[in-house]
Amino acid sequence: MSFPEVLQVEPTNTCNLSCVMCVRRTWRQASFGHMSFELFRKVVDEAAGRVRRLALYGFGEPLNHPRFIDLLAYAREKMGDGVFIHFVTNGTLMDGSAARRVFEAGADQVAFSVDAPDLEPLSEIRVGAQRYDVLGNLREAARAKEEYAARVGVAVVLMRRNYRMLPEIVRRAGELNLDFIVVSHMVPYHPALACETVYSTASREAVEFFKETGGRLDSLAREAIYDSLLAHYTYSSSGKQKLYLQLVEKIAARGYSVNADIARDTLQREQLLREVEEYIEEAREVARAYGLEAKLPSVYADSLRRSCPYIDENAMMILWDGNVAPCMDLAYEHPLYTNLHEKNVRAVRFGSVASQSIEEVWNSPRYVQFRKVRKNLPAGVPWCADCPFATRKCWFIDSNEYDCYGNEVGCSECVYSAGLAHCII
C-alpha cells in the first residue's frame, strides 16, 4: 500500500480579506469552518514518519484558525525535524510576535501573499489589507527568520494591474533578504477578471503557426469543406482541401494543433504579452542579482510540457472537514472563465480522513486511476486551448466532469498543469 509523500492540510477555509481574484468570491455550495484539533491530530499521527513535507494552508487564512500555533506545534513534535512544514499567509495577522511564535512552534517556511510593493495598490487587490500593516509584518518576519534558520518569501498573483510592479516587488524582497519568490498568473473565476489575464493558454508553437499562415487557418478550413463537396459532386477541386490538410499535418508533425479563435485572440494581445515577458525577465534578473530563488511563470502554455504538481509531488489535499481533494483547483465547486468560454469546475472528492485512514483514501481505486492517468499529462489528457473544437460548442468544456479522452474528471484546461499558475506545496 502506497502513501502520499506530501500532505496539504487546510486548517480553515475562513478568511479576513476579500481579494479581488479569490475563488472564495464565487464558491458554490461551500460551507466554512476550522479543522478540529482531534481531526488534525488523527491526520498527523497517521502521517508521522511517512511524509516528507506538510503544507498547512488551503483557501483560508491559516492564522484565522484559533489554534493554528497549537496545530503547527503538534505537527512538529509528532513528525520530527525531518519533515518540512510550511504555509502561505496573507500576512495580516503575522506581526513580529506572531512570526516568532510560528517559528518557535516549528515552521520551516512562510510565504506572504504580496502582489504590490506598497500598501495602497496591495489593498486594491487584497481588499481589507489596508486595516493591517502587511508590509511591516513582512519586515518583522524577515528579521525573525534569521533567529530560527527559517525561510520567508513572497507569493505574487500576476495580472494586468500589477505586472509592471513585479521587478520592484522582487527588489524589495531582495532588500529584505528574503529567500524566495513564487509568481503565479491569475486564474479568472469571474468574467470581469478575464480581461485581467496577461497570458495565453494557447501553446506558443500553435500561435506562431497560426501567424505564419496569415491567420487564415479557420477560413481555409471552411473553404476545404466546400472544396470537398465540390469534388464529390463535380469531380473538380480548387485545391483548398489539399492545402488545408497539408497545413494541419505540418503542425501535427510538431505535436500540436491550433484553435484559430484562441490564437487570434492571443495575437490581438501580442504586444501586451511581449511586454509582460519583458517584465518577468527583468524580475528574473533582479532576483538573480539578490540571490533570490525565483519561480516565475511563462506567458504561453505548452501542451507538450504539461505536468501536474500534485502528481509530481505525490501530494494529497485534506480540507478542513476531512474531505480529500486531489488539488486546490478541484477542492471547491466554482466557475472558471478560460479559452473564451465559461466552465463549471465541480469539486472532486476521493473520500474523507474523518472516517477513513489516509492510506485507505490514497489507495482507493478511483484515486489511483486518477493519478495514473495524470502521470503523463500530454499523453493522457487533452489540452483544450489548442483544440479546434474548444470554441465550437464542444460538450466537454461546459464542466470538468469528463474530457474527450473519456477520463473521469477533466483537467484539460488546468493552468497549473501548464506552468502558468504555481502551487506552493
Side-chain angles (χ1 to χ4, degrees):
M1 298 279 278
S2 64
F3 201 87
E5 295 179 58
V6 175
L7 283 185
Q8 180 177 9
V9 178
E10 179 182 68
T12 180
N13 65 351
T14 66
C15 191
N16 57 337
L17 297 185
S18 182
C19 305
V20 296
M21 67 294 193
C22 185
V23 67
R24 294 163 47 79
R25 287 180 170 232
T26 59
W27 271 351
R28 295 171 178 169
Q29 302 173 345
S31 57
F32 299 88
H34 307 306
M35 179 174 282
S36 70
F37 192 85
E38 291 70 29
L39 177 56
F40 183 80
R41 184 167 53 199
K42 175 182 183 294
V43 169
V44 169
D45 289 353
E46 290 182 19
R50 308 189 75 175
V51 299
R52 56 183 169 83
R53 194 157 67 244
L54 176 66
L56 287 178
Y57 80 101
F59 280 110
E61 167 51 43
L63 288 164
N64 235 30
H65 192 294
R67 298 191 64 185
F68 179 70
I69 301 297
D70 294 335
L71 301 182
L72 181 56
Y74 184 80
R76 174 56 70 206
E77 178 185 3
K78 190 71 177 181
M79 291 182 159
D81 294 335
V83 175
F84 189 84
I85 302 177
H86 68 104
F87 65 95
V88 180
T89 175
N90 61 32
T92 57
L93 306 177
M94 185 86 165
D95 59 18
S97 174
R100 284 174 172 79
R101 291 200 307 274
V102 160
F103 295 136
E104 187 69 38
D108 292 298
Q109 175 179 290
V110 180
F112 277 65
S113 295
V114 175
D115 314 299
D118 299 299
L119 185 59
E120 184 176 348
L122 177 63
S123 300
E124 291 173 1
I125 295 171
R126 302 208 172 251
V127 180
Q130 64 273 16
R131 301 192 302 268
Y132 306 90
D133 187 12
V134 176
L135 299 177
N137 291 350
L138 178 59
R139 286 192 295 272
E140 289 296 317
R143 294 191 191 102
K145 79 182 180 75
E146 303 297 339
E147 301 173 29
Y148 298 92
R151 286 164 50 90
V152 172
V154 293
V156 181
V157 177
L158 201 65
M159 57 193 92
R160 188 183 287 261
R161 70 179 72 187
N162 73 341
Y163 73 86
R164 292 187 180 92
M165 303 177 192
L166 183 59
E168 182 59 23
I169 296 172
V170 177
R171 187 171 291 107
R172 300 279 184 92
E175 290 170 352
L176 288 176
N177 195 33
L178 299 188
D179 300 286
F180 64 93
I181 181 167
V182 177
V183 181
S184 180
H185 282 294
M186 182 196 66
V187 182
Y189 302 115
H190 189 279
L193 292 175
C195 62
E196 280 277 354
T197 60
V198 288
Y199 60 89
S200 173
T201 51
S203 298
R204 190 190 295 267
E205 283 265 6
V207 175
E208 290 299 324
F209 183 79
F210 182 77
K211 189 176 181 180
E212 289 169 14
T213 67
R216 288 191 61 242
L217 202 61
D218 51 344
S219 60
L220 190 59
R222 290 191 292 270
E223 293 171 5
I225 294 172
Y226 299 145
D227 187 36
S228 178
L229 292 172
L230 181 69
H232 179 76
Y233 290 107
T234 68
Y235 301 101
S236 62
S237 171
S238 66
K240 295 296 177 60
Q241 182 183 18
K242 182 179 180 180
L243 177 59
Y244 175 72
L245 291 175
Q246 286 175 340
L247 288 174
V248 170
E249 289 169 1
K250 185 177 180 182
I251 187 64
R254 304 182 199 173
Y256 297 91
S257 58
V258 180
N259 180 294
D261 297 317
I262 296 172
R264 185 177 291 107
D265 175 73
T266 300
L267 288 174
Q268 289 172 351
R269 298 184 296 133
E270 188 175 26
Q271 184 175 345
L272 168 66
L273 298 181
R274 189 179 299 116
E275 184 176 318
V276 173
E277 283 185 310
E278 291 171 357
Y279 276 94
I280 290 175
E281 188 54 38
E282 182 182 346
R284 194 187 313 278
E285 291 299 321
V286 174
R288 189 176 292 120
Y290 280 98
L292 195 65
E293 292 177 21
K295 188 172 186 179
L296 303 173
S298 173
V299 173
Y300 288 85
D302 188 331
S303 65
L304 299 184
R305 298 181 65 184
R306 287 174 294 139
S307 178
C308 173
Y310 283 82
I311 300 300
D312 294 343
E313 297 289 344
N314 267 331
M316 169 193 279
M317 183 177 188
I318 301 173
L319 306 184
W320 70 273
D321 57 2
N323 279 312
V324 173
C327 64
M328 288 189 73
D329 194 48
L330 300 176
Y332 294 95
E333 183 173 349
H334 60 84
L336 175 67
Y337 294 82
T338 188
N339 295 330
L340 308 179
H341 71 89
E342 179 182 0
K343 184 188 200 79
N344 179 38
V345 177
R346 299 181 179 180
V348 176
R349 301 284 184 268
F350 289 118
S352 172
V353 296
S355 56
Q356 300 166 273
S357 70
I358 295 173
E359 190 172 61
E360 285 174 332
V361 176
W362 183 253
N363 290 285
S364 61
R366 187 164 160 258
Y367 200 175
V368 169
Q369 179 62 20
F370 177 91
R371 297 195 304 274
K372 180 180 178 182
V373 168
R374 287 152 186 81
K375 282 287 187 182
N376 185 347
L377 273 177
V381 176
W383 184 242
C384 295
D386 292 338
C387 174
F389 303 109
T391 51
R392 294 292 185 269
K393 305 297 182 184
C394 170
W395 52 84
F396 290 104
I397 63 172
D398 291 336
S399 79
N400 64 322
E401 192 171 3
Y402 291 93
D403 65 31
C404 62
Y405 286 10
N407 299 315
E408 183 185 1
V409 183
C411 295
S412 50
E413 296 183 288
C414 174
V415 296
Y416 295 89
S417 72
L420 298 171
H422 290 138
C423 307
I424 304 181
I425 52 172

